Amino acid sequence: MLQQLFFGYYAFIIIGLSLLVVTRKNPGHSVMWMLLLFFHIAGLYLFLNAEFIAAIQVIVYAGAILVLFLFVVLLLNLREEIALRQTVGSWPVAFFMCAILFVAVTAALGAYVQGPVGGYSIDVIQNETHAKALGKLLYTEYLFPFEIASLILLVAVVGAVVLAKRKLRS
Amino acid sequence: MVPLHWYLTLSAAVFMIGMFGFLTRRNIIIMFMSLELMLNAVNISLVSFSHYLQDMRGHILVFFVITVAAAEAAIGLAIIITLFRNKQTAHVDEMNEMKG
C-alpha cells in the first residue's frame, strides 16, 4: 500500500512537472521545473533499486546538462521572444495525435508477456552493490560500446568548441 | 508491489508530453528540453524493465543514453548559440535558410 502511494506521488509530480516544462513561456522557468523533474526521476530510480543510475541522473542531468541549458538561456537575450506567439497554430492536432498514440501504447501494454528473468535479483545486487555489478558488466561484456561512448564524448567536446567559436583562425 | 505496467504507462505519458512539446513549441531551447524529456521517459521504462526482469542490461543502456544525451546537449546548445549569434532569435519560424 505504501509503495503504491509512493509511486502515485512520484507519477503525479513527474507528469505535472513535465507539463509545466513544455508549457511555460519563459525558458528559464522551464529549466527550473526540469531540475525538480530530474530529482523526482532520480527518486523513482532509487525506488527501482538502481542507486547508481539515480546518482548519475542527479550528477549528469541535473548537474551538468541543465546547467548548460541554464547558461545558454541566460546568455541569450530572449526578452522579445517571450512576447511572441509561443506555439504553432495547429497545436490541437498535435495534442490529438499524442493522445491517440498514448492510448495505443497503453492498450498494447495488455499484450505484454514477461520473459524469463535474468541472474541479477535484488539479493545478488545487494550482496555485490549496484555500482560494482554495473561496472563489472560495463568493463567486460560492454567494453566496446563503452569505448564508442568515449569517442562520442570526444567528438562532442571538439564539436562544441568548433561550433561556438567566433571565428576559426585559418 | 507496484506492477510493471504502471511504470510503462508513466513512461508513455512523459514521452507523449515531450513529443507534444517538441511538435508545438516554437522556441528552440524548449524544443530541445522536450527532447531531453523524451530521453528521460525511455530511461524510466528501461530501468523498470531491468528491475522486473532482474537484469542489468537496461541499466547499461540507460548509461549509454545519458552519455549520448550529454553529447547531444553540448552540440545542440553550441548550434543554438551560433544560430542566435547570426539571427538574433531563438524562434524556429525565423530559420528558413535551407528551404531552397
Side-chain angles (χ1 to χ4, degrees), chain B residues 18-85:
Chain B
M19 197 169 87
F20 176 69
F22 189 81
L23 289 175
T24 57
R25 293 304 299 262
R26 293 296 84 175
N27 187 322
I28 196 163
I29 297 173
I30 294 189
M31 284 171 75
F32 218 65
M33 277 158 67
S34 306
L35 215 70
E36 300 288 329
L37 211 61
M38 287 194 270
L39 286 173
N40 264 287
V42 174
N43 283 353
I44 292 175
S45 77
L46 281 174
V47 171
S48 56
F49 267 126
S50 206
H51 177 68
Y52 282 89
L53 292 173
Q54 301 185 355
D55 206 324
M56 274 319 238
R57 284 173 179 79
H59 295 173
I60 304 270
L61 265 176
V62 169
F63 194 82
F64 290 132
V65 168
I66 290 178
T67 314
V68 171
E72 173 233 327
I75 297 275
L77 290 171
I79 291 176
I80 290 174
I81 285 189
T82 317
L83 268 176
F84 193 83
R85 196 180 287 147

Side-chain angles (χ1 to χ4, degrees), chain A residues 24-29 73 77-86, chain B residues 25 27 91:
Chain A
R24 290 306 88 192
K25 265 195 156 178
N26 192 334
H29 297 171
V73 170
N77 181 18
L78 296 173
R79 194 142 298 163
E80 302 98 61
E81 298 280 325
I82 294 168
L84 286 176
R85 194 180 155 76
Q86 292 289 315
Chain B
R25 293 304 299 262
N27 187 322
H91 213 256

